């Protein structure tokens, strides 16, 4: 049945840049007309008139607000929406000539390969061999064909030597590549990747990006859903922007970002590449600049800029804030035999925002667990908010330190969103009136008020992330640890989160430790950085000094890279070295005075 709906708004008919020379246009793989979808017991449709066509060999990157229907649209392509999730649907969807409503899920799985953002959520076997073969076995494919496809898929993703490995021994990036290999072995006509790099360190993310480029070059039809598109926009044929359940913009990324970048950033609250932000601001001042969406390598030689003053330094006469965390040669072993931390020394002061960096497995989460009392140091000295972490334990430290886990579901304890936010206050004996006031304010600030009675597990990933932070902030801790706070978050919600945290910092002296792989966030927000590698602290200092050290090679870590704004600043002011101040794209562009034509 086709339900009436508003037509989508597109700024142009999308071209097919990789097929312009073809005498005949490539076949249509995806046709969507007027797609509308309502989740069970929800009055407002999350998809409200989607019109979209995808041709064979195209690569689309899809962006939109957290909870705005991106993942729902992807699930509609193989019938999981509405067959598994319920709700009401209208409009028409055809993928590879099939209507997902008229065919079983296993039939659609042979046409549409889905890769989700958390690789652990879709692994079904213990060994890599069995994982890649799993889908083919369920389709009763002959054993010789299974072996042939499995071997070729693992070779394609660069894991030929991992055939007999235990999937639990793989890194996050390797797991994601196994998930992609499992899809490739099915030989689907469409591959859909839903935020495939959201939970990966930069090494894993780069591996997946390279694999996506390889798939694109082989002519595979691809749809990628992402929030951060710095590395993907340059690969895509089309950038599709969703807004209010409809397609707002659709076209080549360079053209969409040039024509609509401000609206995407300011009106829709979404991330655009830092280079695009910089270029938009420069164009508003001095004229055209072609660096959409890449950065320093495309800067014209005629670009001139006045270097801003370096950030003010704290004078010796000023009293430094109190130290909340002091770690000296901290060590910890899992099970008494596996070294997780061997020699970590660092400090964190009240009111600071400190980035805790390093590749997956470097010891970041272990150190965070010591700070909140989930584990106790096995060696060295660790003082947290005036307490000795070796003896204080979680009952004491958890009243001073709040820890927002990387995976939000791990900390939900109640049946509704409102009850989950109230839980920590109730455990502390807070009066009911104050609980109601603080919970209401927190829900409004994180745009969760309308979801107060929803079960936490029924939220989108972005909504879950916001709820997990609200749960911890409502108790107003002295030290807040955020594990990958921007994963799955759009720009508007990230800015709102930072605004709230900065407000708390100014009012209460809250210190924040940010465990992240988002180097743009590090550059924009974090004053200092601590880098761990193989359980040791290898750097502690100002963020600008870290970026300078990465540029110079004096800090070598494959898990770290400098953000685009730093690369642009170094091209503009090469003589300033590490003294280049950290700038957001708007602040950086404000220094530009001329551009060569």
């Amino acid at each position: 049945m086709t339900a009436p709906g508003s037509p989508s708004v597109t700024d142009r008919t999308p071209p097919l840049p990789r097929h312009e020379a073809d005498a005949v246009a490539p076949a249509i793989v995806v046709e969507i007309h007027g797609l509308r979808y309502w989740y069970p017991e929800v009055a407002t449709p999350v998809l409200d008139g989607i019109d979209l066509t995808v041709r064979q060999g195209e690569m689309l990157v899809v962006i939109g607000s957290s909870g705005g229907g991106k993942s729902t649209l992807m699930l509609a392509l193989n019938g999981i929406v509405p067959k598994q999730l319920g709700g009401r649907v209208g409009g028409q969807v055809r993928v590879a000539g099939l209507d997902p409503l008229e065919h079983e899920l296993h039939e659609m799985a042979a046409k549409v390969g889905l890769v989700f953002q958390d690789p652990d959520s879709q692994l079904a076997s213990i060994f890599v061999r069995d994982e890649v073969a799993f889908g083919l076995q369920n389709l009763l494919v002959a054993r010789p064909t299974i072996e042939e496809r499995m071997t070729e898929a693992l070779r394609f993703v660069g894991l030929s030597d991992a055939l007999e490995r235990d999937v639990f021994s793989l890194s996050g990036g390797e797991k994601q590549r196994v998930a992609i290999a499992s899809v490739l072995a099915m030989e689907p006509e469409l591959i859909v990747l839903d935020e495939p790099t959201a939970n990966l360190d930069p090494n894993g993310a780069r591996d997946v990006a390279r694999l996506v480029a390889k798939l694109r070059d082989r002519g595979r039809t691809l749809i990628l859903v992402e929030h951060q598109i710095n590395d993907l926009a340059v690969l895509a044929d089309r950038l599709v922007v969703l807004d209010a359940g409809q397609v707002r913009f659709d076209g080549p990324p360079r053209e969409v970002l040039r024509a609509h970048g401000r609206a995407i950033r300011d009106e829709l609250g979404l991330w655009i590449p830092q280079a695009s932000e910089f270029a938009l601001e420069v164009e508003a001042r001095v004229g055209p600049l072609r660096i959409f969406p890449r950065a320093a390598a495309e800067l014209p030689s005629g670009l001139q800029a006045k270097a801003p003053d370096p950030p003010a330094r704290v004078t010796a006469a000023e009293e430094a804030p109190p130290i909340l965390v002091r770690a000296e040669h901290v060590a910890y072993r899992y099970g008494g035999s596996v070294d997780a931390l061997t020699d970590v020394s660092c400090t964190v002061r009240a009111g600071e925002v400190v980035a805790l960096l390093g590749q997956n497995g470097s010891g970041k989460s272990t150190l965070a667990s010591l700070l909140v009392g989930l584990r106790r140091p096995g060696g060295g000295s660790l003082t947290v908010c005036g307490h000795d972490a070796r003896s204080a334990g979680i009952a004491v430290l958890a009243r001073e330190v709040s820890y927002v886990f990387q995976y939000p579901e791990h900390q939900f304890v109640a049946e509704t969103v409102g009850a989950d936010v109230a839980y920590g206050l109730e455990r502390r004996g807070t009066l009911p009136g104050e609980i109601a006031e603080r919970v209401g304010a927190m829900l409004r600030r994180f745009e969760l008020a309308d979801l107060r009675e929803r079960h936490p597990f029924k939220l989108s990933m972005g909504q879950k992330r916001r709820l997990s932070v609200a749960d911890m902030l409502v108790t107003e801790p002295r030290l807040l640890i955020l594990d990958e706070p921007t994963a799955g978050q759009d720009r508007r919600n990230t800015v709102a989160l930072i605004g709230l945290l900065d407000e708390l910092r100014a009012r209460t002296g809250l210190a924040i430790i940010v465990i992240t792989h988002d180097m743009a966030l590090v550059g924009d927000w974090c004053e200092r950085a601590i880098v761990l590698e193989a359980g040791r602290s290898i750097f502690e200092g100002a963020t600008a000094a870290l970026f300078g050290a990465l540029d110079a090679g004096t800090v070598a870590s494959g898990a770290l890279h400098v953000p685009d704004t730093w690369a642009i600043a170094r091209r503009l002011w090469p003589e300033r070295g590490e003294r280049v101040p950290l700038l957001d794209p708007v602040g950086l562009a404000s220094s530009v005075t001329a551009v060569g034509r």
Side-chain angles (χ1 to χ4, degrees), residues 468-489:
S468 67
V469 177
D471 285 346
M472 296 296 102
L473 280 180
V474 75
T475 60
E476 298 187 351
R478 296 179 67 191
L479 172 64
L480 180 69
I481 302 170
L482 299 172
D483 199 342
E484 296 293 351
T486 60
Q489 291 298 295

Side-chain angles (χ1 to χ4, degrees), residues 377-454:
S381 170
L382 178 61
T383 303
V384 182
C385 298
H387 303 286
D388 186 342
R390 293 172 299 182
S391 57
I394 191 170
V396 173
L397 295 183
R399 299 188 70 85
E400 310 275 8
V401 184
S402 288
Y403 185 1
V404 178
F405 298 138
Q406 179 176 357
Y407 300 105
E409 298 89 346
H410 293 179
Q411 64 190 85
F412 296 152
V413 296
E415 297 294 317
T416 68
V417 167
D420 213 69
V421 177
Y423 180 80
L425 295 174
E426 291 171 345
R427 294 281 294 177
R428 296 185 179 204
T430 307
L431 294 176
E434 183 179 352
I435 291 176
E437 180 179 347
R438 289 166 68 174
V439 169
M442 197 62 61
L443 292 176
R444 289 190 296 273
R445 187 62 182 266
F446 283 97
E447 298 185 4
L448 295 170
D450 292 341
L451 303 172
R452 188 181 190 119
E453 300 304 321
R454 183 84 60 89

Side-chain angles (χ1 to χ4, degrees), residues 492-515:
R492 176 179 291 120
N493 287 316
T494 300
V495 170
L497 171 61
I498 290 175
L500 175 58
L501 293 176
D502 282 342
E503 176 188 313
L504 288 174
R505 284 204 299 149
R507 180 162 55 86
T508 68
L510 173 73
I512 301 169
I513 296 176
V514 184
I515 303 173

Side-chain angles (χ1 to χ4, degrees), residues 276-548:
S276 298
E277 286 195 79
F278 173 74
L280 287 170
E281 298 299 330
V282 170
E283 287 190 340
R285 292 169 171 80
V286 296
L289 185 67
R290 287 183 58 82
I291 65 167
F292 293 87
R294 274 298 190 197
E298 298 186 33
L299 281 179
S301 58
L303 198 67
Q304 300 174 12
K306 177 183 177 182
D309 295 329
R313 295 179 176 273
V314 177
T315 65
E318 296 182 45
E319 183 177 353
I323 292 176
L324 297 186
V325 175
R326 186 187 296 277
E328 296 178 350
H329 309 293
V330 171
Y332 180 81
R333 283 185 171 184
Y334 285 107
S337 59
V338 179
D339 286 320
L341 301 175
T342 57
D343 186 5
V344 173
S345 299
C346 59
T347 60
V348 177
R349 293 183 179 274
E352 282 191 312
V353 180
V354 179
L356 182 57
L357 308 173
Q359 66 185 20
N360 290 347
S362 62
K364 303 185 302 296
S365 295
T366 301
L367 178 59
S369 70
L370 299 181
L371 296 177
V372 78
L374 290 172
R375 298 181 176 90
R376 301 189 184 193
S381 170
L382 178 61
T383 303
V384 182
C385 298
H387 303 286
D388 186 342
R390 293 172 299 182
S391 57
I394 191 170
V396 173
L397 295 183
R399 299 188 70 85
E400 310 275 8
V401 184
S402 288
Y403 185 1
V404 178
F405 298 138
Q406 179 176 357
Y407 300 105
E409 298 89 346
H410 293 179
Q411 64 190 85
F412 296 152
V413 296
E415 297 294 317
T416 68
V417 167
D420 213 69
V421 177
Y423 180 80
L425 295 174
E426 291 171 345
R427 294 281 294 177
R428 296 185 179 204
T430 307
L431 294 176
E434 183 179 352
I435 291 176
E437 180 179 347
R438 289 166 68 174
V439 169
M442 197 62 61
L443 292 176
R444 289 190 296 273
R445 187 62 182 266
F446 283 97
E447 298 185 4
L448 295 170
D450 292 341
L451 303 172
R452 188 181 190 119
E453 300 304 321
R454 183 84 60 89
H455 195 289
F457 287 97
K458 293 186 177 181
L459 302 178
S460 73
M461 177 55 69
Q463 291 164 343
K464 288 176 182 176
R465 183 74 59 183
R466 299 202 303 274
L467 175 58
S468 67
V469 177
D471 285 346
M472 296 296 102
L473 280 180
V474 75
T475 60
E476 298 187 351
R478 296 179 67 191
L479 172 64
L480 180 69
I481 302 170
L482 299 172
D483 199 342
E484 296 293 351
T486 60
Q489 291 298 295
D490 57 31
R491 185 179 188 275
R492 176 179 291 120
N493 287 316
T494 300
V495 170
L497 171 61
I498 290 175
L500 175 58
L501 293 176
D502 282 342
E503 176 188 313
L504 288 174
R505 284 204 299 149
R507 180 162 55 86
T508 68
L510 173 73
I512 301 169
I513 296 176
V514 184
I515 303 173
T516 186
H517 300 304
D518 184 348
M519 298 304 286
L521 177 71
V522 174
D524 288 345
W525 191 36
C526 301
E527 300 151 331
R528 293 196 307 114
I530 299 164
V531 181
L532 302 187
E533 186 172 287
R536 302 173 62 88
S537 49
I538 63 170
F539 177 89
E540 181 181 9
T543 310
L546 172 63
F547 292 161

Side-chain angles (χ1 to χ4, degrees), residues 66-97:
S66 299
K70 303 183 300 299
S71 295
T72 304
L73 176 59
M74 299 305 107
L75 295 177
L77 295 175
N78 70 352
I80 291 178
V81 163
K83 289 182 178 180
Q84 295 294 312
L85 300 182
R88 296 182 291 135
V89 67
Q92 297 178 339
V93 177
R94 296 188 73 82
V95 180

